Amino acid sequence: MALIVLKFGGTSVGNVDRIKRVAELVTKARGTGEEVVVVLSAMSGETDRLLKLAHEVADCPDEREMDMLLSTGERVTIALLAMALRGMGLSARSYTGRQVGIMTDSTHTKARIERIAADRIREALDDGIIPIVAGFQGINEHNDVTTLGRGGSDLTAVALAAALKADQCLIYTDVDGVYTADPNIVPAAKKLDKVSYEEMLELASLGAKVLQSRSVEFAANYGVPVTVKSTFVDGTGTLVTKEDRDMEQVMVSGVTGDRNQAKITFIGVPDHPGIASRIFGPIGAANILVDMIIQNVGQGDLTDLSFTIPRGDVHKAVDLANRIAKDIGAKSVELKDKIAKVSLVGVGMRSHSGVAARMFETLARKGINIMMISTSEIKISCVIEEQHLEPAIRSLHEAFELGRA
Ligand code: ADP
Ligand code: ASP
Ligand code: MG
């Protein structure tokens, strides 16, 4: 019997009627004779609401307590879906991350899954019960609740699919697949029938929140076939899979943007060997992910050094940066948080030249200033003012002719 993992995102379980719709989809999947495991997100807006509450009681809320709070959203939806399914005569049971043995490290709010003891799910399946698992959460070695980073229910689904050796992992959401750009920003965006793990990983890491980037990394590592589909309309969706020759033919597969960016600049840093490690050592140790780094040409024996981080880490990073600045004798620390990153992604970039030039020219024609640039084999990213993000995405989508034929 085939085993499938079905994951439903926040909009798909956003109210009681939608939970009933999900119950129907689960019943239908079960009716085709497949073994089904369901993973759910919290209702849309719930995790943001909880985050806001936390910031109303503390400037820099304790991360262990934050996880205790955030993990509650998913408990609501799993219990409601299990009740709905039982009301329809099916045998279903809800489980928290702890109950299904999702073991993580202790990096609260962005924990990594270390292993899954999925026996409880196997037992439920063997007893003919549909397990409904809370996404986005696990426990660490101290039995404390952890969460897996925003969008982390995708990771729960993929990791469970890998642990259970499922035949498929279906991610049900509010769009009917992965598009050449966020269809809510670019109405002319085109749905992709398939996309390689590598491209999807870049798109997701660079802001296309349709899949959480870690879930894609996990899917690639364990070869889990993932399909992104709509909860609301029928369709084949987008298959995320291994790269093939057709994919290489396309110069650019997608354009994406990320507002979750902030830039910190150390001004007047002594230009000595070892300074970069004294800056980035403590920042890395605080689990702050640094993305782009620019060191300006020094004047005299002083230089400026800028880097970008996720906006959610700004409080922590600025406090730390001020302490580091004192320690290394830098003049000051400057924060700019109204920035964004726009990126082009495509495995075809390996064999096509001129993508960067066309990207810079397109942004220049729009009068958009580029603050930082970074490239890899299959992507080019530019940091720009946040207010220019959507026009940049739309004009790049047009310049690279990514729209509907
Ligand atoms: P869920 O709550 O189901 O996890 P998300 O909001 O996390 O859903 O992800 C779905 C959203 O991702 C879509 O509504 C869309 O706005 C956004 N998105 C961003 N980039 C893309 C893309 N390239 N293709 C499809 N959707 C995208
Ligand atoms: N509820 C969590 C979030 O909003 C996890 C998820 O939806 O995947 O980020
Ligand atoms: Mg999501």
Side-chain angles (χ1 to χ4, degrees):
M1 205 190 298
L3 170 62
I4 54 174
V5 174
L6 308 180
K7 179 259 171 178
F8 296 89
T11 317
S12 311
V13 292
N15 59 40
V16 171
D17 286 336
R18 289 186 174 173
I19 290 178
K20 289 185 186 159
R21 158 98 187 137
V22 167
E24 280 163 20
L25 288 174
V26 173
T27 312
K28 208 161 123 194
R30 187 61 187 281
T32 60
E34 284 165 313
E35 279 192 309
V36 177
V37 175
V38 181
V39 174
L40 297 186
S41 288
M43 289 184 176
S44 54
E46 178 62 6
T47 307
D48 288 334
R49 187 184 74 86
L50 295 170
L51 272 167
K52 192 162 162 276
L53 287 178
H55 286 285
E56 277 168 20
V57 295
D59 285 340
C60 207
D62 180 80
E63 291 184 332
R64 178 191 178 278
E65 302 311 325
M66 185 65 107
D67 278 350
M68 187 64 101
L69 178 70
L70 296 188
S71 65
T72 61
E74 273 71 9
R75 290 179 78 133
V76 172
T77 50
I78 54 169
L80 290 174
L81 180 64
M83 288 172 191
L85 285 167
R86 293 175 83 94
M88 291 161 76
L90 268 94
S91 186
R93 195 171 289 162
S94 60
Y95 298 92
T96 62
R98 173 199 297 267
Q99 286 173 316
V100 292
I102 297 181
M103 307 300 303
T104 72
D105 65 12
S106 289
T107 319
H108 282 290
T109 76
K110 45 191 168 199
R112 286 189 168 270
I113 294 181
E114 288 180 338
R115 77 199 136 80
I116 297 185
D119 351 344
R120 190 119 187 235
I121 295 196
R122 271 261 65 104
E123 275 167 30
L125 289 170
D126 292 345
D127 291 342
I129 295 167
I130 303 171
I132 317 287
V133 181
F136 177 54
Q137 55 180 264
I139 51 162
N140 66 13
E141 56 177 343
H142 310 295
N143 264 335
D144 284 332
V145 180
T146 52
T147 63
L148 309 177
R150 296 309 304 269
S153 300
D154 296 335
L155 177 58
T156 307
V158 171
L160 273 176
L164 296 164
K165 300 196 171 45
D167 299 275
Q168 278 196 76
C169 180
L170 304 182
I171 304 284
Y172 281 91
T173 183
D174 57 1
V175 282
D176 61 347
V178 179
Y179 280 69
T180 48
D182 184 339
N184 291 313
I185 296 177
V186 185
K190 191 173 67 182
K191 184 173 82 70
L192 303 166
D193 292 332
K194 57 185 174 178
V195 61
S196 71
Y197 289 122
E198 212 185 335
E199 285 171 321
M200 192 64 236
L201 180 58
E202 288 287 7
L203 284 169
S205 318
L206 297 167
K209 68 168 185 160
V210 61
L211 283 177
Q212 191 218 28
S213 60
R214 279 201 195 154
S215 73
V216 184
E217 202 179 344
F218 211 101
N221 288 345
Y222 291 88
V224 179
V226 173
T227 304
V228 177
K229 304 181 84 153
S230 163
T231 306
F232 308 105
V233 292
D234 283 340
T236 49
T238 300
L239 175 66
V240 188
T241 183
K242 288 203 182 98
E243 185 177 328
D244 63 30
R245 271 174 194 234
D246 302 348
M247 296 174 181
E248 278 272 351
Q249 304 307 314
V250 186
M251 179 156 76
V252 171
S253 305
V255 49
T256 187
D258 186 359
R259 292 175 196 279
N260 178 25
Q261 298 280 313
K263 185 170 80 153
I264 290 185
T265 303
F266 279 85
I267 301 186
V269 179
D271 202 0
H272 301 154
I275 288 288
S277 89
R278 281 169 69 190
I279 293 178
F280 294 110
I283 287 178
N287 278 312
I288 298 169
L289 284 180
V290 171
D291 180 15
M292 296 188 202
I293 301 176
I294 286 189
Q295 181 171 343
N296 292 337
V297 179
Q299 285 187 336
D301 54 0
L302 293 181
T303 183
D304 295 345
L305 192 145
S306 301
F307 57 94
T308 59
I309 55 164
R311 223 178 265 179
D313 285 334
V314 153
H315 273 296
K316 200 158 92 173
V318 169
D319 279 354
L320 190 57
N322 280 320
R323 271 183 273 144
I324 298 171
K326 253 196 201 144
D327 178 43
I328 61 174
K331 277 194 186 146
S332 58
V333 170
E334 211 172 63
L335 168 71
K336 188 163 171 59
D337 60 0
K338 297 273 181 294
I339 60 162
K341 183 163 69 173
V342 61
S343 310
L344 291 172
V345 172
V347 287
M349 282 187 206
R350 291 197 198 107
S351 48
H352 294 79
S353 59
V355 180
R358 203 195 296 181
M359 180 179 197
F360 303 153
E361 189 188 298
T362 307
L363 295 176
R365 247 191 293 116
K366 279 264 154 194
I368 298 173
N369 186 41
I370 301 171
M371 291 181 239
M372 290 169 133
I373 300 168
S374 88
T375 64
S376 79
E377 217 187 3
I378 66 162
K379 72 117 205 268
I380 305 175
S381 301
C382 296
V383 172
I384 58 177
E385 296 277 353
E386 183 179 5
Q387 53 170 338
H388 295 142
L389 182 61
E390 292 196 5
I393 292 176
R394 281 192 280 268
S395 45
L396 289 167
H397 196 270
E398 204 181 310
F400 285 87
E401 297 170 1
L402 304 181
R404 292 196 177 100

